[in-house]
Amino acid sequence: MDVMREANRREVAGEDIIHMEVGQPATPAPRAARERVVQAMAEHNLGYTLSLGLPELRERIAAYLEARYGVDVGPERIVVTAGSSAGFVLAFLAVLDHGDSFGLPSPGYPCYRQILKALGFRPHLIETSGAGRWMPTVADVEALGASGAAGLLLASPNNPTGTMTRGARLKELAKTCARQGLWLISDEIYHGLEYEAAAETALAYSDSAIVVNSFSKYFSMTGWRVGWLVVPEALTRTIERLAQNLYIAPPTVSQVAALGAFDGIDELEEIKSRYARNRSLLLNELPPAGLSNVLPADGAFYLYADVRDLTDDSAAFAQAMLREIGVATTPGMDFDPERGRSYLRLSYAGAEREMREAARRIAAWLKTR
Amino acid sequence: MDVMREANRREVAGEDIIHMEVGQPATPAPRAARERVVQAMAEHNLGYTLSLGLPELRERIAAYLEARYGVDVGPERIVVTAGSSAGFVLAFLAVLDHGDSFGLPSPGYPCYRQILKALGFRPHLIETSGAGRWMPTVADVEALGASGAAGLLLASPNNPTGTMTRGARLKELAKTCARQGLWLISDEIYHGLEYEAAAETALAYSDSAIVVNSFSKYFSMTGWRVGWLVVPEALTRTIERLAQNLYIAPPTVSQVAALGAFDGIDELEEIKSRYARNRSLLLNELPPAGLSNVLPADGAFYLYADVRDLTDDSAAFAQAMLREIGVATTPGMDFDPERGRSYLRLSYAGAEREMREAARRIAAWLKTR
């Protein structure tokens, strides 16, 4: 957040800043979503929907999941939420009691631990490694179970690393959670943005997993605050009550837009192919420029660079990079309080031309250091 | 919720249902708000805003408060929220510790107690009386302080009763909270909808009050999920962090609409004058029809009828009214678990023609009972 604020300040002051610190697409919602909203402005009064969301949208999401993954969960297990933020709050409140601890692979999205703490729960950090594609191992999950934790959060593709877990390994993790009596919350908000192989849903290997998803990333609708949960049938009534009391309902206009977004897949695939080009460009250009320890990320729009050869304080390094060449990045400490001092997250959600220019500036800058 | 579901079921089945159970306007957002959204669909990418909301909207809200109440709080004390639901969550989490109790006048909005419980706090119900316009007394607040509670929630106009507290009495309640070391959270979401005298803000009598407000009711924007808090300066940083982690930011499109809504005041005053006509009609027609114990409500769009002469089970009474004459109302138990058995809430947010027809049906029905 500090880098973001400083980057915006410099931009307002007239500097030419390249934003590789942001966690959101530069594009608006797809045209079909926006057209649906324009139409709704004339035709709907947009009062509250049901707490679980517009029935039509729940059905559309269930159909999308079936088409995409071949899983048939049915609309009754879909809960439309005010973004994945609400999804995490609802999932945690539904399965945890005060003081419970919950396993979070580290590095990971910092709001997981902050949400848990704000609600009276305890984050239990699990150190992962680049060699293991930043995913927990079966042994990690067994140790988590033995520690008395209530569950595991798994994010694939992961933020900040962009790495994924799939196939036999995902299956093994899901089965280990089940064996250890751990809730599995699967953060799938970067699904749709993968470049080597398709992301797999935890639902393929677990009936009791809670899946968190969102229209923010692949659907390019961050500010709309609309997402969804897939929950086991036994939890729907609990989640409905929580949603009714804590949110009343997700924003109606955003649900209407989300319905339209499913008609904008061509446009979204175009955006994704831009991310793919940006990713290739950076993976080609950065290592020779001196940012050599970048794991080829499988998905999302992030690279997680190991900068230990360049600095032992990635926050100061990011500040210097912003100050000296106008490239904003995110220091790893936001995602991994200790080891993050040696890492930098670079987002490639921006324009191709900007990514090219960023690579050029970084190369020239590293030569002088 | 049961009555609402049953009313919708009957309506879908072809019955002519009059909705006096709903807590929302039948009108869409004002035209100026919707026009602003149409324009934004072409011009903005609607990414995340800052967690505290669009700076322009925070300024507009501060100017509105100054014009309306003569209080100068400044934009830095305004927090734009995802509806008042988010406002309550943020306010409670900012000032309470696990297990703390918080004073809630009863009858009152049921989500207060549900939100408190979901977050690990304890509702402390304060029985109020119709004779005291359903507001707590100074003695009640002193007893609350003595009980060790952390604060008091005050809603004026109150849901379900529509009654208000003003002037010397509001001042005395605010001062008593200060003297007792109690946080005062003032729910002002029905401000703007008052028919005898203007509602007063707690900010007029307290610098430390937390005010919860919303674009849902007066601004006719329930489904948009956008509201605001006014918080003491010392709490803004805490609330900003909580908002960032739990919500990221309020929906951008709704914030854009809210900005436009301030240009739709003429239209909103028209809607309000319809509520005023509905209120007069019902206050004239219902007592001779047999619903005689209705306190002339000061604001909102609710009447709270004492039906103890007609039933000792307002839920069964409401079900019978819905089944036999197609008028949906809300039993008082939703707002006051025990005494609510003798009360019914009637919303007059609907069309004038419907209110007239409801009064006619109720009169004919009560004659046959």
Side-chain angles (χ1 to χ4, degrees):
Chain A
M1 288 308 284
D2 289 344
V3 175
M4 199 179 287
R5 206 168 287 137
E6 175 71 7
N8 290 334
R9 196 190 64 71
R10 287 177 177 268
E11 192 159 45
V12 169
E15 287 186 42
D16 174 21
I17 303 294
I18 298 175
H19 291 282
M20 300 183 82
E21 86 284 21
V22 293
Q24 63 176 329
T27 42
R31 180 175 299 276
R34 289 177 282 133
E35 283 172 356
R36 193 76 82 111
V37 169
V38 170
Q39 196 184 341
M41 290 304 104
E43 294 174 7
H44 289 279
N45 75 3
L46 298 174
Y48 299 123
T49 67
L50 296 172
S51 299
L52 296 179
L54 284 172
E56 195 184 347
L57 180 57
R58 296 171 71 198
E59 275 168 31
R60 192 68 195 74
I61 293 167
Y64 175 75
L65 298 181
E66 181 152 20
R68 187 184 153 89
Y69 307 110
V71 297
D72 174 19
V73 296
E76 56 289 339
R77 287 178 58 193
I78 308 292
V79 179
V80 183
T81 59
S84 68
S85 303
F88 291 116
V89 169
L90 291 171
F92 291 145
L93 287 176
V95 305
L96 298 181
D97 290 320
H98 183 75
D100 276 356
S101 78
F102 207 86
L104 302 179
S106 180
Y109 177 54
C111 289
Y112 302 143
R113 41 178 210 276
Q114 303 303 346
I115 294 173
L116 283 169
K117 284 196 244 175
L119 300 176
F121 310 122
R122 289 180 299 130
H124 176 117
L125 296 189
I126 301 165
E127 280 206 359
T128 60
S129 74
R133 296 194 94 71
W134 305 108
M135 292 290 155
T137 63
V138 166
D140 289 333
V141 180
E142 284 170 347
L144 181 70
S147 80
L152 170 71
L153 196 141
L154 198 65
S156 166
N158 183 39
N159 173 12
T161 62
T163 50
M164 300 190 337
T165 181
R166 303 178 62 252
R169 187 150 172 224
L170 176 58
K171 181 176 180 177
E172 220 179 5
L173 291 173
K175 298 293 169 204
T176 311
C177 282
R179 211 164 44 237
Q180 297 282 331
L182 292 165
W183 287 101
L184 172 59
I185 298 183
S186 179
D187 178 350
E188 304 185 355
I189 76 165
Y190 288 100
H191 277 217
L193 300 178
E194 58 263 328
Y195 309 102
E196 302 285 342
E200 281 182 286
T201 176
L203 297 169
Y205 303 111
S206 168
D207 285 333
S208 59
I210 300 174
V211 167
V212 180
N213 211 322
S214 164
F215 288 92
S216 290
K217 310 297 179 177
Y218 173 70
F219 292 92
S220 188
M221 292 177 61
T222 51
W224 296 79
R225 315 312 298 122
V226 59
W228 73 85
L229 291 173
V230 185
V231 301
E233 214 154 333
L235 282 185
T236 49
R237 190 71 191 108
T238 304
I239 299 249
E240 181 176 20
R241 273 176 223 221
L242 284 166
Q244 165 71 26
N245 289 314
L246 295 176
Y247 299 93
I248 301 183
T252 307
V253 63
S254 305
Q255 295 189 66
V256 167
L259 260 175
F262 285 110
D263 299 328
I265 300 291
D266 289 351
E267 190 180 337
L268 297 169
E269 288 294 315
E270 266 299 309
I271 296 173
K272 176 178 168 176
S273 58
R274 173 166 54 79
Y275 298 152
R277 289 192 299 275
N278 287 350
R279 171 176 173 274
S280 299
L281 185 151
L282 293 176
L283 288 177
N284 286 333
E285 307 266 328
L286 292 181
L291 279 186
S292 43
N293 298 320
V294 177
L295 203 72
D298 310 304
F301 35 59
Y302 303 120
L303 298 178
Y304 199 53
D306 179 342
V307 291
R308 80 185 60 205
D309 298 342
L310 302 165
T311 184
D312 59 1
D313 180 353
S314 58
F317 189 76
Q319 291 288 358
M321 195 189 282
L322 173 60
R323 200 170 52 238
E324 293 171 24
I325 57 169
V327 176
T329 56
T330 311
M333 286 98 100
D334 285 12
F335 310 101
D336 189 342
E338 305 199 355
R339 295 177 303 160
R341 298 180 68 84
S342 307
Y343 290 89
L344 213 55
R345 186 191 78 174
L346 298 95
S347 163
Y348 50 86
E352 220 169 331
R353 157 186 57 72
E354 289 177 327
M355 294 304 107
R356 196 174 306 279
E357 171 65 9
R360 196 195 59 74
R361 289 189 199 177
I362 290 170
W365 185 62
L366 289 181
K367 241 180 249 161
T368 68
R369 280 179 76 89
Chain B
M1 287 311 281
D2 288 343
V3 174
M4 198 177 288
R5 205 168 285 139
E6 175 71 7
N8 290 335
R9 197 189 63 70
R10 287 176 177 268
E11 193 159 42
V12 168
E15 286 186 42
D16 173 22
I17 303 294
I18 299 175
H19 292 282
M20 301 183 82
E21 86 283 21
V22 292
Q24 64 176 330
T27 43
R31 179 175 301 275
R34 289 177 283 136
E35 283 172 356
R36 193 74 84 109
V37 169
V38 170
Q39 197 184 340
M41 289 306 102
E43 295 175 6
H44 290 279
N45 77 2
L46 298 173
Y48 298 124
T49 67
L50 296 172
S51 299
L52 296 178
L54 284 171
E56 194 184 349
L57 180 56
R58 297 172 71 198
E59 275 169 30
R60 193 67 195 76
I61 292 168
Y64 175 74
L65 298 181
E66 180 150 22
R68 187 184 153 91
Y69 307 111
V71 298
D72 174 19
V73 296
E76 56 287 343
R77 287 178 57 194
I78 308 290
V79 179
V80 183
T81 59
S84 67
S85 303
F88 291 116
V89 169
L90 291 170
F92 291 147
L93 287 176
V95 304
L96 298 181
D97 290 320
H98 183 74
D100 277 357
S101 79
F102 207 85
L104 303 178
S106 179
Y109 177 54
C111 290
Y112 301 143
R113 36 177 214 277
Q114 303 303 347
I115 294 174
L116 284 169
K117 284 196 245 176
L119 300 176
F121 310 121
R122 289 180 300 129
H124 175 119
L125 296 189
I126 302 165
E127 279 206 359
T128 60
S129 74
R133 296 194 93 73
W134 304 108
M135 291 291 155
T137 63
V138 166
D140 289 333
V141 179
E142 286 170 346
L144 181 69
S147 80
L152 170 71
L153 197 140
L154 198 64
S156 166
N158 182 41
N159 173 11
T161 62
T163 50
M164 300 190 339
T165 181
R166 302 177 61 250
R169 188 151 170 220
L170 175 59
K171 181 177 180 176
E172 221 177 5
L173 290 173
K175 297 293 169 203
T176 310
C177 282
R179 211 166 43 239
Q180 298 282 332
L182 292 166
W183 287 100
L184 172 59
I185 299 183
S186 179
D187 177 350
E188 303 185 356
I189 75 165
Y190 288 99
H191 277 216
L193 299 178
E194 58 265 328
Y195 308 102
E196 302 285 342
E200 281 182 284
T201 176
L203 298 169
Y205 303 111
S206 168
D207 285 333
S208 60
I210 300 174
V211 167
V212 180
N213 211 322
S214 164
F215 288 93
S216 290
K217 310 298 179 175
Y218 173 71
F219 291 92
S220 189
M221 291 176 62
T222 50
W224 295 78
R225 313 314 297 122
V226 58
W228 72 85
L229 290 173
V230 185
V231 303
E233 214 154 332
L235 282 184
T236 49
R237 191 70 193 108
T238 304
I239 299 245
E240 182 177 19
R241 272 176 223 219
L242 284 166
Q244 166 70 26
N245 289 314
L246 295 177
Y247 300 93
I248 302 183
T252 308
V253 62
S254 305
Q255 295 188 66
V256 167
L259 261 174
F262 285 111
D263 298 329
I265 300 291
D266 289 353
E267 190 180 336
L268 298 170
E269 287 295 317
E270 268 298 308
I271 296 172
K272 177 177 167 176
S273 59
R274 172 166 55 78
Y275 299 152
R277 289 193 299 276
N278 287 350
R279 171 177 174 271
S280 298
L281 184 151
L282 294 177
L283 289 177
N284 285 333
E285 307 266 328
L286 292 182
L291 281 184
S292 42
N293 297 320
V294 178
L295 204 72
D298 308 306
F301 35 58
Y302 304 120
L303 297 178
Y304 200 52
D306 178 344
V307 290
R308 80 184 60 204
D309 299 342
L310 302 165
T311 183
D312 59 1
D313 180 353
S314 59
F317 189 77
Q319 291 288 359
M321 194 188 284
L322 173 59
R323 200 170 53 236
E324 293 170 22
I325 58 170
V327 176
T329 56
T330 312
M333 284 97 99
D334 285 11
F335 311 100
D336 189 344
E338 305 200 353
R339 295 177 303 160
R341 299 181 65 84
S342 307
Y343 291 89
L344 214 56
R345 187 190 78 174
L346 299 96
S347 163
Y348 50 86
E352 222 170 330
R353 158 186 58 70
E354 290 177 326
M355 294 303 109
R356 198 176 305 279
E357 171 65 9
R360 195 194 60 73
R361 290 189 199 175
I362 291 170
W365 185 62
L366 290 181
K367 242 182 247 160
T368 67
R369 281 178 76 88

